[in-house]
Amino acid sequence: PRLDHLRLLAACLVVAVNFIGLHPPAGKAIHFLLAPIRQGHTGVTLFFVLSGFLFTVISFKKSVSYPSFLLNRILRIYPLYTVGILSGMFMLGEFAYLNKVFRGAEWTWLTPYNIASAWSPFATPGAFIANDYFAQLWSISVELQFYLVFPILKIWFDRWGLRPLFVLIAALIALRALYFTLYESVSDLAYYTMLGRSDQFLIGMCLAAVYAENGTFNLPKKHLLASCVVLLFTLGVFDAFGGLQTKTRALWIVWPTVEAAAWGYVLASYVSGGVNVASWAGKTLARLGESSYSIYVWHVVVMFAVSDLFGLCRACPLSFGVLALYFAAILAVVLVVAMASYRLIESPFLR
């Protein structure tokens, strides 16, 4: 259940960063106070760390059948992923006849090539970024790429332990350093591709090895507060350097690794039971966490729909009080939609 709590946190962080992108807070002081939320894209990193952790714990000291593993992952990811892609087509009127009838416009996002590439595990970010409603789906293709290599990584881990995982992390950092030396920017490579994100899956796998071998992380409760301070400080420093806008900074060489390590500390301390959660609250959070994938897929659509329904200005700054109330309302609607999506689209393929 605690992993589901963290999955819910990851999804809510992504919702928050996209929300303040649509409705930015007014005032520099508020901007400073919301610095960690402004870097809410870090929720994607938490998702990746959790994936590496969960798959390794489940398969610890067990053999992994490559075909069965991939089939299971396809059934888990592709139903909702496909619905999201098709929804993007309809919402942008990207079918040729719809364009001719309603807009007379040319296709702009989902050309036949982009339709195929978006559905592929090797989809490039460009297949999604131009679609305001589902730009976030780029990360699903990265997740799918991890699924393709996880059984191989598992074989290496079973044979040689953590050593090959550490070697891979070091090699990825070195590769990003070389790329930065050649092109003076490595931010897109580090953020959007497996060459940046693999560190995060691998760190999750390393944490899982420690957890599965000992049955627990056994960290004292004080580590949860310490890990949160470390995470907030890490994100605050990144935000102070400009966050995602730091295209030309060498920080991106190590940022995926540092960010994942900070989240790994939070994961380890929370799984150790660093805070007591009431039974009813824990179950509620876990139920909501089950829908984290649907939250991730549908939250932008919900935000746009609610804004249009009430005639709210997009990109117009809001006071902190209004912002907080509006975000709470948006999040409530997102959760309802996500739970329905989970029941109707995701859960039938989990049985």
Side-chain angles (χ1 to χ4, degrees), residues 1-253:
R2 286 181 176 262
L3 293 183
D4 284 326
H5 299 172
L6 292 174
R7 288 167 60 195
L8 177 63
L9 172 62
C12 288
L13 283 170
V14 176
V15 175
V17 72
N18 286 324
F19 175 78
I20 64 174
L22 185 64
H23 300 290
K28 292 183 179 180
I30 295 176
H31 274 267
F32 174 77
L33 293 173
L34 295 180
I37 295 178
R38 277 182 25 191
Q39 304 306 323
H41 51 78
T42 191
V44 174
T45 296
L46 177 55
F47 274 128
F48 290 159
V49 173
L50 286 170
S51 289
F53 179 83
L54 183 61
F55 292 135
T56 306
V57 167
I58 291 174
S59 62
F60 189 71
K61 293 185 177 180
K62 300 176 184 177
S63 61
V64 176
S65 168
Y66 196 82
S68 297
F69 176 78
L70 289 184
L71 178 60
N72 179 275
R73 292 295 87 203
I74 288 170
L75 291 175
R76 178 67 184 91
I77 295 297
Y78 268 101
L80 181 56
Y81 187 50
T82 301
V83 171
I85 292 172
L86 293 176
S87 298
M89 295 168 64
F90 279 106
M91 288 177 182
L92 292 182
E94 295 297 342
F95 285 123
Y97 73 89
L98 287 178
N99 280 322
K100 291 178 181 178
V101 173
F102 296 109
R103 295 193 310 174
E106 297 296 328
W107 287 20
T108 56
W109 177 55
L110 284 174
T111 62
Y113 170 78
N114 276 347
I115 294 172
S117 65
W119 206 73
S120 162
F122 302 104
T124 61
F128 304 103
I129 298 303
N131 188 319
D132 291 338
Y133 299 102
F134 294 99
Q136 70 276 14
L137 293 186
W138 67 267
S139 66
I140 307 301
S141 65
V142 177
E143 181 94 6
L144 292 170
Q145 291 165 38
F146 172 67
Y147 297 159
L148 292 176
V149 300
F150 173 76
I152 300 171
L153 295 172
K154 180 64 170 51
I155 291 172
W156 294 351
F157 168 72
D158 289 342
R159 186 169 300 178
W160 295 298
L162 292 175
R163 185 179 303 174
L165 304 186
F166 288 137
V167 169
L168 280 173
I169 292 172
L172 288 162
I173 293 173
L175 183 60
R176 292 196 295 270
L178 176 61
Y179 191 94
F180 181 83
T181 302
L182 294 173
Y183 301 103
E184 300 182 345
S185 176
V186 72
S187 59
D188 287 345
L189 184 82
Y191 186 78
Y192 288 113
T193 76
M194 278 288 285
L195 294 178
R197 295 295 184 171
S198 291
D199 303 45
Q200 299 166 356
F201 294 111
L202 293 169
I203 285 174
M205 292 181 67
C206 292
L207 287 168
V210 175
Y211 177 82
E213 189 67 46
N214 301 297
T216 179
F217 288 114
N218 200 30
L219 292 177
K221 289 186 177 183
K222 62 183 180 182
H223 278 272
L224 181 59
L225 176 60
S227 67
C228 290
V229 171
V230 169
L231 176 68
L232 293 175
F233 175 78
T234 303
L235 294 175
V237 170
F238 183 66
D239 184 74
F241 276 102
L244 290 182
Q245 306 307 315
T246 58
K247 297 291 185 181
T248 59
R249 290 190 181 273
L251 175 64
W252 279 102
I253 296 172

Side-chain angles (χ1 to χ4, degrees), residues 333-344:
V333 177
V334 168
L335 291 175
V336 170
V337 171
M339 291 179 71
S341 171
Y342 176 79
R343 295 302 172 195
L344 296 174

